[in-house]
Amino acid sequence: MQKQTPETVTIHVEKDFKIGEVDQRLFSSFAEHMGRSIYTGIYEPGHPAADAKGFRTDVLELVRELNLSHVRYPGGNFLSGYDWKDGIGPKEARPRRLDLAWKSIESNQVGIDEFYDWSRLAGIQIMGGVNMGTGSPKDAAELVEYCNYPGGTAWSDRRIQNGHKDPMGISLWCIGNEMDGPWQIGHLDAIDYGKKAREAAKMMKWVDDSIEVVVCGSSNAEISTFPEWDRQVLEYTYDEADYLSMHRYFENEGNDLDFLASFKDMDQFISTLVATVDYVKAVKRSKKTIGLSFDEWNVWYQKRQTPHDWMEAPELIEDRYTLLDALSFSGMCMALLNHADRVKIACLAQLVNVIAPILTERGGRAIRQTIFYPFQLFSKHGRGTALRPVVHTPLLETRHGDAEQLYTSAVLHEDGTLSLFCLNIGETALQAELDLRSFGSVKLCAHTRLSGEDLNAVNTFDNPFAVVPQQIPVSEKPAARFSERIPARSFSVFSFAPSETL
Ligand code: AHR
């Protein structure tokens, strides 16, 4: 039963309580050669909306709405068995291969050249990946040469021959994927991986000293090697590495509150890795600080997986997201903002069809899933300086420990406007008393809210707008304090502007 008078929470946002600058790369995603992510996702020659190169323009339009910085490519588990040389040159001569990671057939009709063309059309930069499973440091350095070296060498000339006269300038590279996981093709222990990654990074940076590299950290927080894996890998790679990767997926295991409090788990995972990274820094007496690359995160119902053996572009892990999923997801976006000082890169895994904000029909329509909207709001309102709000809120007991019923994050933008994100995970509404005195007199110019009666609602091809954020009418009165009702189980973004600029 809803309480008649909502409990009061106080939120004090102070312009000098800075966490740090939000890196543009926090708004990145991931496209793996897996299932229908590439084939019939972004690329489908013959589709009515396909352009001359076979890219789906309907999907491109939706991708552009997310205003992504980078897209991680080409994997994922796929990366650890992938030979990038299979994906270049005349398409008809490219080999069809067994992809052992996902038990699928890889046609190699899309490779680095095609994906680079797609990324230009989408206005996104590529975060490349090199294979540390079956691949060698030499293959990794040759890929950097192919992509980034101007010309006059065997691999750079092959790129020119394949239609890209100018270097691609891929400046960020993952050295392998989830190498801590026994499921990974060519899985290594931390020391063997650390040594191999160090040599690969050295050679890649010798080819192009402007690149930054991400070494594999833990693939989840439950794996028994966490966080010792991270410490050991950094012990071997600290001088060459720029970022340590981390991956985490969440699912509703039957308790909605626990699931909505996933931000708490994410927060603890980040804090543990920050401590681990800084411990190695201290041991090494290093002046360099390693950042975190949260390059896979999302809601993923791993227990619902169905195997599809040896098919081309099978329907793999195409989760349909509910409103509840989108609410939990919004808390994850906020946890990233609340660690903006150390998490410099974050990739929503993935982008199209495979646990994705965008869903397509083969030969048919493309829609926005529920999680599309909180990501879009995060990408639109999350850029600037992250601030730490001081909040007095009820705490709710969850399996992640006591969690704030009202979870918040705030970002001050260059133009002086302020965005305040609020997630109410409880079953009761709250009355938020906002204190914004340090900003002087401001106006609430917009309030966008994601909520609804049916937490299980999903967007479908026939009913694509069942779950969309609503614009809530706002009072235009300039003030320094505001009182706003935050409904149960809702996510809100408030936008404030200095009143003199209005
Ligand atoms: O995103 C799906 C898979 O999840 C990726 O291939 C892998 O890196 C992770 O385990």
Side-chain angles (χ1 to χ4, degrees), residues 13 20 22 27 337-338 340 378 380-389 409-414 416-421 439 494 496:
V13 188
V22 180
F27 312 99
L337 291 175
N338 285 334
F378 165 61
K380 183 170 177 203
H381 299 283
R383 296 169 199 255
T385 305
L387 303 178
R388 171 116 32 237
S409 58
V411 174
L412 179 61
H413 310 287
E414 250 181 24
T417 57
L418 172 74
S419 295
L420 176 66
F421 300 81
F439 298 91
F494 297 96
F496 298 94

Side-chain angles (χ1 to χ4, degrees), residues 337-395:
L337 291 175
N338 285 334
H339 287 277
D341 53 336
R342 296 305 292 271
V343 180
K344 296 294 168 190
I345 303 157
C347 304
L348 162 60
Q350 297 193 12
L351 184 57
V352 185
N353 289 330
V354 172
I355 45 171
I358 298 167
L359 201 59
T360 72
E361 289 176 318
R362 246 179 248 270
R365 299 165 283 185
I367 58 166
R368 303 167 189 84
Q369 293 230 59
T370 60
I371 61 168
F372 184 98
Y373 295 106
F375 189 89
Q376 189 181 34
L377 289 167
F378 165 61
S379 177
K380 183 170 177 203
H381 299 283
R383 296 169 199 255
T385 305
L387 303 178
R388 171 116 32 237
V390 178
V391 183
H392 292 285
T393 166
L395 296 176

Side-chain angles (χ1 to χ4, degrees), residues 30 32 76-77 102 177-178 249 296 300 350 355:
F30 173 36
E32 177 167 5
N77 295 341
W102 298 111
N177 175 71
E178 295 190 350
Y249 293 99
E296 288 187 33
W300 175 9
Q350 297 193 12
I355 45 171

Side-chain angles (χ1 to χ4, degrees), residues 53 92 135 273 365 421:
K53 289 187 169 169
E92 58 286 3
L273 281 177
R365 299 165 283 185
F421 300 81

Side-chain angles (χ1 to χ4, degrees), residues 187-201:
H187 158 64
L188 297 169
D189 67 27
I191 296 174
D192 287 345
Y193 169 70
K195 289 179 178 170
K196 187 171 180 182
R198 181 186 61 202
E199 296 314 304

